[in-house]
Amino acid sequence: MEETQFYNLLEDLTGKSNESGRGAAGIGLETTIYLARKGCTVYVASRNKEKSLKGIAEAERRLDGHGGPIKFHLLDLASIDSARRSAEEFRRTEPRRIDLIIANAAVSLLPLKELSQDGYERVFATNHLGHFVFVTSLLDIVEDTATSHGEARIVVTSSAGYKGATKLDYKALTTPVPTDGSHWWHIFSSFRRYLTSKLANIYFTNELDRRLQARGITNVYCNSCHPGSAGGTGLGTGAIPGAVGRWVEVSAKAIITRVANTNADSAKTQVYLAASKEIREKNIHGQYWVPKWSWTIRFLRCEQEELTTLAKDQEEQRKLWELSERAVKDALAGTTKSDRVY
């Protein structure tokens, strides 16, 4: 699909506001450019201000004055408190309007020798709990936006790799392994933990959508997607220490660059879910979408894909939501803001 054709599938986003995780590099940068070019105000949410500002400058250079404003917003998903404080800062300093949230940020291949500040495996803590806190802490603004402006959307970037995950083992997610990461073969267990976090992304998306609809909120469209096999995301960089780690990274990059999709093509599915009128017109809720590729690995279209039986398990979705609520309450005990997460 040509770029002009894809842009024509997107609605005019002038006046709308978007929060995008890690929106200044890789897939996130391309997402920022797509949305801004359609007139959206894009908040690039990231923990690294210096790199984000460089990415914003690159986006502005490519837009060449034709697009909505792009702003930096500090967001560290690694702990519950930092994600909550980021949401509170947004509430304090920015207009009370969020039309789109794209939960795109992720980490991978971190060793389990230490847990997050909140006592969870760090990939799960960042990829799921951080997004859970940030999104639910801003959910009332999203709901108000949908009421005032007709609709709002939440897109969570998962991965086709979720199919390789097994049932979430919450004991394992809270138990450190002091020797993990000391040998190259530990990368396999690290990768399985990444797949677990991608399954959690789908659970969160679908449970959130179901809870909103149960409250009669049908114009906030929550969906998840697989972006594709992008070569420029930086996932896993620095995960394995020493010379072996560098060898793994170089080898993986050499392979990926030969078979990967472009970052722009990998961004298209999440952008489509965020900005295509089809989502509203066909009332698309709680679905998982994937890109379809040509034989030359170029984007053709995106479409719904049926989830696995494990991913569709509503009891597992509910269980993860309730665990996440407890984790938030434990982490924010004594604060006055935790009741915003429901």
Side-chain angles (χ1 to χ4, degrees):
M1 179 182 291
E2 297 297 327
E3 287 295 286
T4 302
Q5 291 177 286
F6 181 71
Y7 274 112
N8 289 339
L9 297 175
L10 309 179
E11 296 190 287
D12 180 15
L13 301 177
T14 302
K16 293 193 174 185
S17 174
N18 162 250
E19 271 277 3
S20 287
R22 203 174 184 182
I27 297 173
L29 174 61
E30 301 303 326
T31 298
T32 294
I33 293 171
Y34 279 130
L35 297 179
R37 195 180 294 278
K38 297 299 289 189
C40 191
T41 297
V42 180
Y43 291 89
V44 172
S46 171
R47 65 181 178 179
N48 191 317
K49 184 174 182 178
E50 181 180 357
K51 288 184 178 180
S52 294
L53 292 179
K54 288 180 180 178
I56 290 171
E58 168 65 11
E60 291 173 339
R61 182 191 67 78
R62 288 170 57 182
L63 288 165
D64 193 25
H66 302 288
I70 306 172
K71 305 179 181 181
F72 171 74
H73 177 72
L74 181 64
L75 170 61
D76 185 353
L77 296 167
S79 78
I80 290 170
D81 181 63
S82 61
R84 191 271 306 171
R85 282 189 284 107
S86 176
E88 291 302 316
E89 180 66 12
F90 186 90
R91 303 174 74 92
R92 188 181 67 82
T93 60
E94 301 300 335
R96 190 177 171 84
R97 179 171 181 176
I98 302 176
D99 299 85
L100 317 168
I101 293 180
I102 300 180
N104 173 68
V107 297
S108 71
L109 306 184
L110 299 180
L112 191 54
K113 59 185 177 183
E114 59 185 34
L115 301 177
S116 73
Q117 175 182 314
D118 304 301
Y120 290 89
E121 189 271 322
R122 291 183 294 160
V123 173
F124 175 82
T126 299
N127 295 1
H128 167 65
L129 283 176
H131 284 305
F132 178 90
V133 175
F134 188 68
V135 171
T136 55
S137 295
L138 294 173
L139 197 55
D140 60 328
I141 299 180
V142 175
E143 293 174 20
D144 289 347
T145 301
T147 299
S148 301
H149 302 282
E151 66 162 310
R153 302 187 190 184
I154 297 172
V155 181
V156 180
T157 307
S158 179
S159 166
Y162 87 86
K163 299 171 187 176
T166 55
K167 187 174 180 179
L168 270 63
D169 182 341
Y170 294 107
K171 183 176 181 180
L173 288 171
T174 56
T175 304
V177 179
T179 59
D180 190 58
S182 58
H183 299 287
W184 69 265
W185 57 82
H186 291 166
I187 192 173
F188 299 111
S189 57
S190 294
F191 188 64
R192 285 195 295 271
R193 293 193 294 273
Y194 172 72
L195 303 186
T196 294
S197 75
K198 295 291 100 180
L199 176 61
N201 288 154
I202 293 172
Y203 282 172
F204 167 52
T205 308
N206 289 10
E207 184 68 13
L208 172 60
D209 191 73
R210 189 161 45 249
R211 286 173 180 250
L212 286 170
Q213 294 204 58
R215 294 170 47 222
I217 300 171
T218 59
N219 59 348
V220 176
Y221 301 90
C222 305
N223 295 286
S224 60
C225 69
H226 167 61
S229 302
T233 65
L235 279 174
T237 302
I240 306 173
V244 171
R246 289 192 293 274
W247 175 82
V248 170
E249 288 177 15
V250 170
S251 301
K253 186 174 182 179
I255 295 170
I256 289 172
T257 52
R258 290 180 178 273
V259 301
N261 319 117
T262 66
N263 286 327
D265 276 353
S266 296
K268 285 183 170 68
T269 302
Q270 62 192 37
V271 170
Y272 189 84
L273 289 172
S276 168
K277 65 181 181 180
E278 179 187 7
I279 306 306
R280 178 183 64 256
E281 292 177 347
K282 295 185 178 179
N283 198 33
I284 293 172
H285 283 272
Q287 292 187 8
Y288 170 75
W289 279 50
V290 299
K292 294 297 179 181
W293 309 103
S294 70
W295 67 273
T296 56
I297 323 180
R298 296 307 304 270
F299 182 88
L300 291 175
R301 66 186 183 280
C302 55
E303 60 188 36
Q304 180 195 9
E305 181 176 277
E306 188 73 13
L307 290 167
T308 64
T309 300
L310 179 60
K312 291 188 291 187
D313 191 326
Q314 292 187 13
E315 178 59 25
E316 287 298 309
Q317 294 169 12
R318 181 193 61 78
K319 186 186 299 183
L320 175 63
W321 185 280
E322 292 178 351
L323 174 134
S324 303
E325 285 186 318
R326 290 195 299 273
V328 171
K329 290 176 181 177
D330 288 345
L332 304 182
T335 70
T336 59
K337 304 299 183 183
S338 60
D339 58 0
R340 285 211 176 103
V341 180
Y342 56 90

